[in-house]
Amino acid sequence: MSQQVKETYKVAPSLVFFLVTGAQVGIGILGFERILAKVAGYDGWIGVIVGGAMVNISIFIMYKLLKEGGGNLVYIHQTLFGKWIGNALNLVLALHFWNSAYTVLRTYIEVIQVWMFPSLPSWLPALFFLFLAYYIISSGFQVITGVCYFGVILPLWLFITLIYPLEYAHFDNLMPMFTHSVKELWKATISMSLSYIGYETLLIYYPFIQKPEKSHKYAQFGALFTTFLYLVVCLVSFAFFSEKQLLVSIWPYLTMTKVVEFTFLQRFEYVHISFWLLVVMPNIVLFFWAASRIVRDVAKIQQRIPLIGMLLLFFIYTYYIDDRAEIDRANTWNGRFGFYFIYVYIPFLYVVQKTVKKVGSGNQ
């Protein structure tokens, strides 16, 4: 391993369940249903299941890669490709994690602006969230894990509110099933990549797990739980909206919460959006931590230095570029890169690793 992590800084294997789920469930769950319906109609739920299965297979390959590599992906890149090429690949990965953080946080800020405060400047909530992210990340990986734990446990009650839209649901919307081509279903599966990504941070925090090989089953359970949540939200949304309504609704999940009313509260979606900070914060801190950790290992400097630089870059970018089209491009690029990185590059890297080891052992 390129750097030994002290035992006191590590987390229990069971907490990987919350690290995986906390990284996956984020802003994507608010609007993925519209994208699925656009490419595969009401058969889009099949893409949720197939995409979830691909996540479980990918996690299996990641654990194989990390176990045989003896460290995180930074060290594996350096070992397989040398200092210069390996570190270049590492910096590309750091950029991906930074862009993932930007995608999540900037989209969440947009939700706040559209649903709650239309005149709110983007830089103001960004400044608050970045200060909060810096405080959490600088406190150490164990604190980040705690944020992921509470980010999964505390907001679970929000999903119980899906009972209310069922009063207006028509599950016959899902009939007839299997009316779309394999190509359309594959497009639905690919479109889920943006919603499912995040768990690849495992490639960086693997050395921070106590007896990491024992955490594999918890990572798989975390991915299965995420798939279950997405499937439930997808099916309820498909039953609640007509297909035409769904295609014009940017955030179907939030729109459904408008039917939730209490005698003491009329606009429940305000509570929902505010509480959603607990859901997106694990995404943000994990992505920023992973990006700054990579730069730390590559440049051999304190992690705080690249972290501050990345947070400042985010603030500057948000301050000067406040364009919906730019956010869409960031989302699209992040989803496509994440898909090919996880499902194409990681299996390829594992094959390279096995080949190098086989050739090396054959020459001895």
Side-chain angles (χ1 to χ4, degrees):
M1 190 179 298
S2 57
Q3 181 195 12
Q4 294 293 333
V5 177
K6 293 183 180 179
E7 201 67 25
T8 53
Y9 297 152
K10 295 183 179 182
V11 299
S14 58
L15 293 177
V16 174
F17 174 94
F18 301 99
L19 286 167
V20 170
T21 302
Q24 285 188 296
V25 180
I27 206 69
I29 201 170
L30 301 180
F32 75 100
E33 310 95 304
R34 176 178 62 88
I35 301 173
L36 287 178
K38 184 177 180 180
V39 297
Y42 283 152
D43 280 339
W45 61 270
I46 300 173
V48 177
I49 296 176
V50 176
M54 289 175 62
V55 170
N56 288 104
I57 296 172
S58 177
I59 289 175
F60 174 80
I61 296 174
M62 286 181 183
Y63 268 89
K64 287 285 188 180
L65 176 72
L66 292 164
K67 183 179 179 180
E68 296 191 20
N72 63 13
L73 188 59
V74 175
Y75 176 62
I76 293 172
H77 275 155
Q78 293 170 342
T79 303
L80 294 178
F81 302 110
K83 178 181 178 181
W84 296 106
I85 297 178
N87 284 338
L89 292 171
N90 289 329
L91 292 177
V92 171
L93 182 58
L95 178 61
H96 163 64
F97 286 133
W98 183 90
N99 190 61
S100 297
Y102 172 81
T103 299
V104 172
L105 182 51
R106 188 61 191 85
T107 306
Y108 180 62
I109 292 173
E110 184 185 25
V111 170
I112 294 175
Q113 291 171 321
V114 172
W115 287 79
M116 298 177 69
F117 306 109
S119 60
L120 182 70
S122 301
W123 64 267
L124 189 58
L127 188 63
F128 168 76
F129 294 136
L130 293 177
F131 269 116
L132 182 59
Y134 176 79
Y135 177 77
I136 294 171
I137 296 170
S138 61
S139 298
F141 186 74
Q142 291 177 329
V143 174
I144 294 174
T145 305
V147 170
C148 292
Y149 174 83
F150 288 110
V152 173
I153 296 297
L154 294 181
L156 277 180
W157 69 273
L158 293 174
F159 293 98
I160 299 177
T161 60
L162 289 173
I163 295 174
Y164 289 88
L166 290 178
E167 181 181 352
Y168 309 96
H170 300 279
F171 283 97
D172 55 336
N173 288 350
L174 301 175
M175 298 296 183
M177 296 183 180
F178 311 111
T179 58
H180 292 77
S181 66
V182 174
K183 182 180 180 180
E184 290 172 322
L185 295 178
W186 177 243
K187 286 182 178 179
T189 302
I190 294 177
S191 71
M192 283 301 298
S193 61
L194 179 60
S195 300
Y196 278 138
I197 63 173
Y199 67 96
E200 71 272 19
T201 49
L202 168 69
L203 296 165
I204 307 301
Y205 65 71
Y206 182 82
F208 284 82
I209 308 171
Q210 297 171 356
K211 299 179 180 178
E213 63 279 358
K214 292 188 176 182
S215 67
H216 186 185
K217 61 181 179 181
Y218 296 106
Q220 297 286 6
F221 290 150
L224 286 172
F225 182 67
T226 301
T227 303
F228 171 75
L229 288 180
Y230 274 102
L231 184 60
V232 170
V233 173
C234 178
L235 292 176
V236 173
S237 298
F238 285 0
F240 182 82
F241 294 100
S242 69
E243 192 165 341
K244 290 184 178 179
Q245 288 175 326
L246 197 57
L247 291 176
V248 297
S249 180
I250 298 177
W251 294 295
Y253 184 38
L254 286 178
T255 303
M256 286 193 298
T257 62
K258 295 177 73 172
V259 305
V260 182
E261 290 187 359
F262 300 100
T263 55
F264 58 89
L265 182 65
Q266 292 297 315
R267 300 298 299 270
F268 177 76
E269 64 268 25
Y270 284 8
V271 176
H272 204 124
I273 294 170
S274 301
F275 222 83
W276 208 253
L277 174 61
L278 293 174
V279 179
V280 301
M281 210 62 209
N283 291 201
I284 296 167
V285 296
L286 267 176
F287 286 136
F288 274 130
W289 178 87
S292 58
R293 184 77 186 181
I294 292 172
V295 177
R296 171 200 179 278
D297 289 345
V298 169
K300 307 299 181 185
I301 57 178
Q302 291 185 349
Q303 187 171 355
R304 187 170 299 182
I305 297 174
L307 175 60
I308 293 174
M310 290 176 180
L311 296 178
L312 284 174
L313 179 62
F314 184 101
F315 179 77
I316 294 171
Y317 202 74
T318 303
Y319 186 85
Y320 286 103
I321 300 178
D322 193 11
D323 181 18
R324 173 65 199 172
E326 184 67 26
I327 301 172
D328 283 339
R329 281 193 292 269
N331 273 277
T332 301
W333 187 89
N334 196 52
R336 289 177 180 174
F337 181 89
F339 180 85
Y340 288 108
F341 170 75
I342 295 171
Y343 302 114
V344 178
Y345 177 71
I346 292 301
F348 165 76
L349 190 63
Y350 180 61
V351 172
V352 172
Q353 183 189 64
K354 296 290 288 185
T355 303
V356 170
K357 283 198 170 187
K358 186 176 181 179
V359 171
S361 61
N363 293 332
Q364 292 179 354

